[in-house]
């Protein structure tokens, strides 16, 4: 227990760092995921191609490699940002590909006749998607989106290897101070458990309120 009590500030800093990464990257992933899902079902061929390439490349690229590309590659092109922001970009873009596919699968569950009926009433593609299709698709994609964001929270541990303050990275300092590595990781695991269970609880509430009855 003394590992936690004597280093509570260090754990707290790492915990808040992981929470910030998770929140900001989740927001970016949801926005980009929605945009790419819209592209993938758009009537414009170039949009569909762009969305498909985005998903295919990011889903088949190791996240660690993407971190190297963003944190070490972008500065070579003159884009210099704080490492935490680079980590948010890497995590958000990577996760957006999975959010996109979850949303697209939800869109495919909505009967095509509803979209055709909306278009017959003179609604544009954007209006049809936003007011008819997505509200129904949202109900069926709550569980997979929640699972994807939980995976994002755990994936944020990679950021510690790139000088970003997060929970897993606290083990380096504690190991140097001579604390038990086992208990160090036990309390790190507890921190991640709190974060993932919190996300799970939020989506459980959303599913109970808006989800499709089984």
């Amino acid at each position: 227990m003394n590992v936690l009590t004597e280093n509570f500030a260090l754990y707290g800093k790492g915990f808040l760092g992981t929470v910030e990464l998770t929140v900001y990257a989740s927001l970016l992933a949801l926005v980009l995921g929605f945009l790419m899902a819209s592209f993938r079902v758009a009537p414009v061929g170039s949009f569909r191609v762009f969305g498909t390439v985005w998903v295919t490349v990011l889903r088949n690229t190791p996240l660690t490699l993407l971190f190297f590309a963003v944190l070490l590659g972008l500065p070579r092109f003159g884009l210099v940002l704080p490492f935490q922001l680079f980590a948010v970009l890497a995590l958000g873009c990577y996760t957006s590909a999975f959010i996109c596919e979850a949303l697209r699968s939800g869109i495919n569950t909505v009967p095509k006749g509803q979209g055709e009926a909306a278009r017959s009433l003179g609604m544009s593609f954007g209006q049809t998607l936003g007011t008819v299709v997505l509200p129904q698709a949202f109900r069926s994609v709550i569980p997979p989106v929640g699972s994807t964001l939980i995976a994002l929270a755990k994936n944020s541990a990679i950021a510690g290897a790139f000088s970003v303050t997060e929970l897993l990275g606290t083990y380096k300092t504690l190991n140097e101070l001579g604390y038990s590595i086992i208990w160090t990781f036990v309390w790190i695991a507890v921190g991640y458990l709190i974060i993932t269970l919190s996300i799970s609880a939020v989506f459980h509430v959303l599913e109970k309120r808006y989800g499709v009855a089984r």
Side-chain angles (χ1 to χ4, degrees):
M1 192 69 181
N2 65 319
V3 176
L4 178 64
T5 56
E6 294 176 7
N7 300 280
F8 192 78
L10 180 63
Y11 272 115
K13 186 177 180 181
F15 181 83
L16 290 177
T18 295
V19 170
E20 288 181 359
L21 276 176
T22 301
V23 170
Y24 295 142
S26 294
L27 292 175
L28 179 61
L30 289 170
V31 171
L32 288 177
F34 165 76
L35 185 62
M36 291 304 132
S38 301
F39 280 7
R40 295 211 65 186
V41 297
V44 181
S46 57
F47 283 1
R48 292 198 302 273
V49 170
F50 183 86
T52 300
V53 171
W54 178 276
V55 170
T56 302
V57 170
L58 290 177
R59 288 186 72 187
N60 293 284
T61 300
L63 181 54
T64 304
L65 180 60
L66 186 60
F67 263 89
F68 274 111
V70 172
L71 275 79
L72 303 180
L74 292 182
R76 293 179 177 271
F77 295 94
L79 184 59
V80 180
L81 298 170
F83 272 16
Q84 185 180 29
L85 186 52
F86 278 135
V88 168
L89 287 174
L91 279 170
C93 290
Y94 177 79
T95 309
S96 70
F98 297 90
I99 296 289
C100 168
E101 289 303 276
L103 291 175
R104 190 169 71 93
S105 67
I107 291 172
N108 289 336
T109 65
V110 179
K112 292 183 179 180
Q114 296 199 25
E116 294 171 354
R119 287 191 295 271
S120 69
L121 294 174
M123 297 176 70
S124 65
F125 170 75
Q127 291 173 323
T128 301
L129 191 65
T131 61
V132 177
V133 177
L134 281 180
Q136 297 180 73
F138 170 75
R139 300 177 63 199
S140 63
V141 301
I142 294 174
V145 169
S147 298
T148 302
L149 296 185
I150 288 173
L152 183 153
K154 292 184 288 186
N155 287 338
S156 67
I158 297 176
F162 297 89
S163 302
V164 177
T165 301
E166 51 80 43
L167 187 56
L168 183 61
T170 59
Y171 90 90
K172 300 175 185 175
T173 302
L174 295 174
N175 188 44
E176 291 172 358
L177 293 174
Y179 287 96
S180 168
I181 194 68
I182 296 176
W183 284 105
T184 296
F185 279 111
V186 165
W187 291 115
I188 289 173
V190 169
Y192 278 106
L193 191 63
I194 292 172
I195 294 172
T196 55
L197 288 180
S198 298
I199 297 172
S200 179
V202 169
F203 278 86
H204 180 68
V205 171
L206 290 174
E207 187 177 7
K208 286 188 67 175
R209 184 167 183 178
Y210 301 108
V212 177
R214 302 295 181 184

